[in-house]
C-alpha cells in the first residue's frame, strides 16, 4: 500500500518564484536561474512514493535539497509547485487547521540536532505531542513512559535534556516522535550528529524497532553507508533532483551515472551485496538415484573434485567427494547414499557477502544457495565474490 | 532687522498643546477617576505597610527575598532595610517602594503583551520599536507636564510618567526573548501540530522568562531613577527627601536620602536578577 506520494515537487526560495518556475519548466538550470532572478531552486520536479512499512532513505550531499524535501512532506515548508499525497489524500491545499490535525495524527519527526525542549524534563518532552493533542494527563504519562522505555531510557523520566549525551538525547527525540504513535516517521539526518559507534547502535536499534512497529519511515542522510544499511529503497539526490531510486543492491551494482558511481566506489560492498548478486548456476550436479559409477563419470568429465547431490525436485542432499566416490565404485556399491556428506553449509540468497566470506574461509568448496524449502538455487564460489568486490562484472 | 525671507517657525508646540487640550477636555474625566481609584489603592498599600511595626515588615521582606532569591540576598535585604529604618527613613522608603513596585507592575502588565505582539507580528514590530526609541530618548521631565492635567498632582501622575519612561526595556527584552527561541525548537513544535498559542505558552514564553526578567529588572531600575523627578509633582517618598534637601541646600540630608535610594535599588536589583537566573535553562 502506498503511504506517501510526492508528485513533481518543486521548491524555489525567494521573493518572486514565478519567473524562476517558468524558467525551470523551460529547462533552465539551477545556477542560471539564480544568476538571472536571484531565486534559489532547492527542489525541482521531485517525484517518488513510499510504501507503508517501508524505510525509504533520501541520500545526497549538503545542499542537495534533502531537508527541504522532507519538510515539504508535512508542509513545514510550502512547496512552490507539485503535490503531496498522504494515504491517497492530496494535502497540498489543506487549510491551516486540517493541516495541524494531519501533523498531529500522522507524523512524528526527528531532527538532526535533537531539538529537545530545554525547559522540560524527558517525560514532558516525550509527552509534548500528546499535550498538543489535548490528551488527558494519565494517558500522556503512560504513553510517554512506554515510549521512553522502548528506547531504553526508563528511569530517566525526570532528567533534563542537557544532562544527557548526544546519543541519549536523540533517543529522547525518537521517543518523542514515537509517543504520538504516528504512521509516518520523518527523520532528517537523525543520526548525523552522533559519533560513529553510537550512530551504529542507533541504526541497529531503529531497525529492530522498525521490525516490531512497521512504521513508514522517510529517512534522510548524507552518508551512503547509512543509506544502504537502513533503506529498503534509496533515493539519491543531487542539486534538488533525483538521480536514482533503487534498492541498495541496485544502487551499488548498477549506478545510474558517474555521480552515483563515484559515491559507490567507496562503499563497503561486502555489506550491501548479497548472495543473489554473486550466485552462479550450480552446473553439473548429481542426483540421489545416480549410481556411484555415473557420478564418478560426471566428475571426471567435468574435472571436478566434489559434486552437489540433489533430489529430482531440486532439494539439496549434500556433497560427495571424488575419493569416497572412487572407493564406492571399487567396492561395487549400488547407491551413493552412504558417501554423502550432508553437513554442508548453506546460505539463502539475501545473505550479505560478509557472511559468505566468513563461511568460505572455512569451506573451500562451492557454497550452495538454497531457498526456504532447501531447494538448490545456485552456488557461490570464492572467485565470484572477489570479482564482485573488485567491481568486475 | 527682520529678514524678508525668514522661514516661519512651525508651531509644533501649539499643535501639541491643542492636541493635549483636546484630549484633556474629552478624556480628563476618565483619567481623573482612574487617578482617584489608583491613588486609593496606593495609599491603601502604604497605610497597610505602615500599620505594622517596621521589624515585622523587614522580616516579611527578608523571607520574600530568601524565597525568590537566596540567603545572600536575604541577608542584604535585612541589613539594608534595618539601616534605612535606623536613618529614620522608614516611611519615605515604604512610599518609594510602593510607587516603584506599582509602576513596575503596571509597566510589565502593558509591556509583556506588547513585547509578544512585536515578536510575533512584523507590522506591530515596525510600529512599536520606533515608539520605544522615542519614549526612551525623550527627557523624562517632559512626561510630567501633560501628566498633571490628566491625573492631577501627586502619586498617580508620577506613576504615569514612570510607567512611560520605564516600560521600553521590558517590551524590548520580551520581544527579544521570544525571538531568540531557536528556530529548530519552533520547527519541532510545528511538526507536532502546535497552534500559535500552544507554541507561545508551551515554548516561547517559558524559554523567554530569563530575558523577560532581565527586562523587568531594568524597568525597576529606571523606575527608581525617576523617584526624584516624580517628587517634583508631589509623589512623596525618598525622592521628596532629596528634593527638599536640594531646595534647602542641605547636602548631608540629600546624600542620606540618595544612599537610601541606592540601597533600595541594590536590593530590588539582586532579587529580580536572581529570579531570572533561577529560570535559566541550559540550551541543550
Ligand atoms: N530558507 C531558505 N532560503 C533560501 N535558500 C534556502 C533556504 N533553505 C534552503 N535553501 C537552499 O536550498 C538548497 C537546499 O537546502 P537543504 O537545506 O534542503 O539541503 P540539504 O540537502 O538538507 O543540505 P544539508 O545536508 O546541508 O542539510 C540549498 O542550496 C540551500 O542554500
Ligand atoms: Mg539538511
Amino acid at each position: 500500500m502506498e503511504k506517501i506520494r510526492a508528485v513533481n515537487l518543486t521548491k524555489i526560495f525567494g521573493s518572486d518564484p514565478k519567473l524562476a518556475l517558468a524558467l525551470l519548466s523551460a529547462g533552465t538550470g539551477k545556477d542560471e536561474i539564480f544568476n538571472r532572478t536571484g531565486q534559489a531552486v532547492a527542489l525541482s520536479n521531485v517525484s517518488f512514493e513510499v510504501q507503508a512499512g517501508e524505510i525509504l532513505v533520501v541520500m545526497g550531499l549538503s545542499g542537495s535539497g534533502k531537508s527541504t524535501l522532507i519538510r515539504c512532506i508535512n508542509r513545514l515548508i510550502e512547496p512552490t509547485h507539485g503535490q503531496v499525497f498522504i494515504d491517497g489524500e492530496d494535502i497540498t491545499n489543506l487549510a491551516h487547521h486540517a493541516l495541524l490535525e494531519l501533523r498531529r495524527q500522522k507524523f512524528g519527526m526527528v531532527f538532526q540536532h535533537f531539538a529537545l525542549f530545554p525547559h522540560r524534563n524527558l517525560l514532558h518532552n516525550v509527552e509534548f505531542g500528546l499535550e498538543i493533542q489535548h490528551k488527558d494527563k494519565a494517558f500522556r504519562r503512560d504513553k510517554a513512559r512506554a515510549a521512553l522505555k522502548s528506547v531504553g531510557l526508563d528511569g530517566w523520566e525526570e532528567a533534563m535534556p542537557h544532562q544527557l549525551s548526544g546519543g541519549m538525547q536523540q533517543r529522547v527525540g525518537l521517543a518523542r516522535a514515537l509517543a504520538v504513535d504516528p504512521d509516518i516517521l520523518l527523520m532528517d539526518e537523525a543520526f548525523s550528529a552522533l559519533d560513529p559507534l553510537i550512530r551504529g547502535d542507533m541504526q541497529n536499534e531503529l531497525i529492530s524497532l522498525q521490525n516490531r512497529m512497521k512504521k513508514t519511515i522517510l529517512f534522510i542522510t548524507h552518508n551512503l553507508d547509512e543509506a544502504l544499511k537502513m533503506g529498503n529503497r534509496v533515493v539519491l539526490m543531487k542539486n534538488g533532483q533525483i538521480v536514482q531510486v533503487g534498492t541498495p543492491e541496485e544502487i551499488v551494482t548498477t549506478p545510474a551515472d558517474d555521480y552515483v558511481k563515484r559515491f559507490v566506489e567507496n562503499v563497503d560492498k561486502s555489506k550491501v551485496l548479497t548472495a543473489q548478486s554473486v550466485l552462479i548456476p550450480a552446473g553439473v550436479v548429481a542426483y540421489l538415484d545416480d549410481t556411484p559409477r555415473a557420478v564418478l563419470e560426471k566428475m571426471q568429465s567435468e574435472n571436478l573434485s566434489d559434486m552437489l547431490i540433489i533430489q529430482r525436485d531440486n532439494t539439496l542432499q549434500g556433497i560427495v567427494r571424488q575419493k569416497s566416490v572412487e572407493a564406492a565404485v571399487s567396492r561395487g556399491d549400488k547407491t551413493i547414499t552412504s558417501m554423502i556428506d550432508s553437513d554442508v553449509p548453506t546460505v539463502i540468497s539475501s545473505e550479505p557477502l560478509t557472511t559468505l566470506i566468513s563461511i568460505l574461509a572455512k569451506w573451500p568448496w562451492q557454497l550452495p544457495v538454497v531457498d526456504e524449502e532447501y531447494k538448490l538455487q545456485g552456488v557461490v564460489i570464492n572467485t565470484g565474490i572477489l570479482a564482485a568486490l573488485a567491481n568486475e562484472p | 532687522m527682520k529678514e524678508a525671507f525668514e522661514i516661519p517657525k512651525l508651531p509644533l508646540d501649539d499643535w501639541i498643546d491643542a492636541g493635549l487640550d483636546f484630549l484633556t477636555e474629552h478624556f480628563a474625566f476618565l483619567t481623573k477617576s482612574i487617578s482617584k481609584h489608583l491613588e486609593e489603592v496606593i495609599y491603601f498599600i502604604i497605610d497597610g505597610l505602615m500599620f505594622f511595626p517596621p521589624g515585622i515588615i523587614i522580616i516579611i521582606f527578608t523571607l520574600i527575598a530568601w524565597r525568590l532569591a537566596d540567603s545572600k540576598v536575604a541577608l542584604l535585604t535585612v541589613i539594608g532595610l534595618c539601616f534605612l529604618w535606623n536613618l529614620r527613613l522608614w516611611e519615605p522608603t515604604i512610599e518609594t517602594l510602593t510607587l516603584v513596585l506599582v509602576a513596575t507592575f503596571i509597566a510589565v502588565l502593558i509591556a509583556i503583551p506588547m513585547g509578544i505582539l512585536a515578536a510575533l507580528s512584523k507590522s506591530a514590530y515596525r510600529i512599536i520599536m520606533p515608539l520605544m526609541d522615542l519614549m526612551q530618548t525623550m527627557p523624562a521631565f517632559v512626561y510630567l507636564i501633560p501628566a498633571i492635567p490628566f491625573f492631577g498632582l501627586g502619586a498617580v501622575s508620577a506613576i504615569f510618567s514612570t510607567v512611560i519612561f520605564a516600560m521600553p526595556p521590558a517590551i524590548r527584552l520580551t520581544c527579544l526573548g521570544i525571538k531568540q527561541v531557536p528556530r529548530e525548537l519552533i520547527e519541532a513544535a510545528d511538526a507536532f501540530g502546535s497552534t500559535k498559542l500552544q507554541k507561545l505558552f508551551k515554548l516561547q514564553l517559558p524559554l523567554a522568562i530569563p530575558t523577560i526578567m532581565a527586562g523587568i529588572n531594568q524597568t525597576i531600575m529606571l523606575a527608581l531613577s525617576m523617584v526624584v523627578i516624580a517628587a517634583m509633582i508631589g509623589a512623596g517618598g525618598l525622592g521628596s527627601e532629596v528634593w527638599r534637601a536640594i531646595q534647602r541646600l542641605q547636602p548631608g540630608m540629600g546624600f542620606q536620602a540618595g544612599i537610601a535610594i541606592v540601597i533600595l535599588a541594590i536590593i530590588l536589583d539582586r532579587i529580580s536578577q536572581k529570579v531570572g537566573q533561577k529560570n535559566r535553562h541550559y540550551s541543550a
Side-chain angles (χ1 to χ4, degrees), chain A residues 154-210:
Chain A
D154 34 346
W156 287 84
E157 288 82 359
E158 309 296 322
M160 298 304 281
H162 73 269
Q163 297 171 315
L164 308 185
S165 67
M168 289 165 90
Q169 288 193 28
Q170 195 56 302
R171 280 166 206 267
V172 181
L174 189 57
R176 182 175 63 179
L178 292 175
V180 295
D181 198 15
D183 295 354
I184 300 170
L185 269 183
L186 301 176
M187 307 184 70
D188 187 6
E189 304 223 17
F191 302 152
S192 298
L194 306 177
D195 61 51
L197 280 180
I198 306 288
R199 185 175 185 162
D201 288 348
M202 290 293 285
Q203 290 166 347
N204 295 337
E205 214 158 309
L206 183 64
I207 291 172
S208 74
L209 275 173
Q210 170 66 356

Side-chain angles (χ1 to χ4, degrees), chain B residues 185-232:
Chain B
L185 297 186
I186 300 287
E187 203 171 45
D190 279 332
F192 284 101
S194 310
T195 62
K196 274 196 169 146
L197 278 184
Q198 285 176 323
K199 262 185 292 184
L200 182 65
F201 286 106
K202 291 181 193 297
L203 187 63
Q204 291 166 306
L205 277 179
L207 286 179
I209 284 175
T211 316
I212 294 175
M213 278 312 300
I216 293 176
N217 172 277
Q218 288 193 26
T219 293
I220 294 175
M221 294 302 110
L222 286 182
L224 264 169
S225 74
M226 278 288 282
V227 296
V228 176
I229 297 172
M232 293 164 57

Side-chain angles (χ1 to χ4, degrees), chain A residues 11-14 30 34 38-43 58-71 77 112 188-189 192 220-222 237 239-240, chain B residues 183:
Chain A
K11 177 65 192 180
I12 295 165
F13 285 107
K30 178 177 162 162
F34 185 76
Q39 313 288 300
V41 181
L43 285 180
V58 177
M59 188 262 156
L61 293 180
S62 187
S64 56
K66 310 179 296 290
S67 295
T68 309
L69 176 63
I70 201 170
R71 281 163 179 71
I77 292 178
Q112 178 170 6
D188 187 6
E189 304 223 17
S192 298
I220 305 280
T221 179
H222 61 240
M237 288 190 68
N239 282 335
Chain B
R183 230 178 59 93

Side-chain angles (χ1 to χ4, degrees), chain B residues 77-257:
Chain B
T77 307
V78 73
I79 294 174
L81 291 181
C82 284
F83 182 57
L84 296 179
W85 182 20
N86 173 271
L87 293 177
R88 307 292 184 270
L89 287 174
W90 185 249
E91 182 163 7
T93 300
I94 290 295
E95 284 173 11
T96 294
L97 188 65
T98 306
L99 289 185
V100 165
L101 292 184
V102 169
T104 304
F105 179 74
I106 296 173
V108 168
L109 220 56
I110 302 171
I112 290 185
M114 296 253 282
I116 292 172
L117 206 64
L120 299 185
S121 146
K122 273 205 178 108
S123 38
Y125 184 86
R126 269 189 228 117
I127 297 169
I128 291 173
M129 284 305 144
L131 215 62
M132 294 299 97
D133 293 334
L134 184 78
M135 280 160 69
Q136 263 188 314
T137 36
M138 182 76 75
F141 280 96
V142 178
Y143 295 126
L144 296 179
I145 317 166
I148 295 164
F150 285 107
F151 301 102
L153 274 173
V156 176
S157 275
I159 286 182
F160 170 80
S161 326
T162 306
V163 166
I164 302 232
F165 181 69
M167 194 166 51
I171 297 181
R172 264 182 220 287
L173 286 166
T174 301
C175 176
L176 179 71
I178 288 174
K179 285 188 159 188
Q180 263 175 353
V181 172
R183 230 178 59 93
E184 250 203 341
L185 297 186
I186 300 287
E187 203 171 45
D190 279 332
F192 284 101
S194 310
T195 62
K196 274 196 169 146
L197 278 184
Q198 285 176 323
K199 262 185 292 184
L200 182 65
F201 286 106
K202 291 181 193 297
L203 187 63
Q204 291 166 306
L205 277 179
L207 286 179
I209 284 175
T211 316
I212 294 175
M213 278 312 300
I216 293 176
N217 172 277
Q218 288 193 26
T219 293
I220 294 175
M221 294 302 110
L222 286 182
L224 264 169
S225 74
M226 278 288 282
V227 296
V228 176
I229 297 172
M232 293 164 57
I233 52 171
L238 293 169
S240 57
E241 298 289 317
V242 176
W243 185 230
R244 202 173 311 132
I246 296 173
Q247 285 167 325
R248 297 182 191 166
L249 283 177
Q250 290 177 323
M253 190 182 146
F255 271 104
Q256 179 174 287

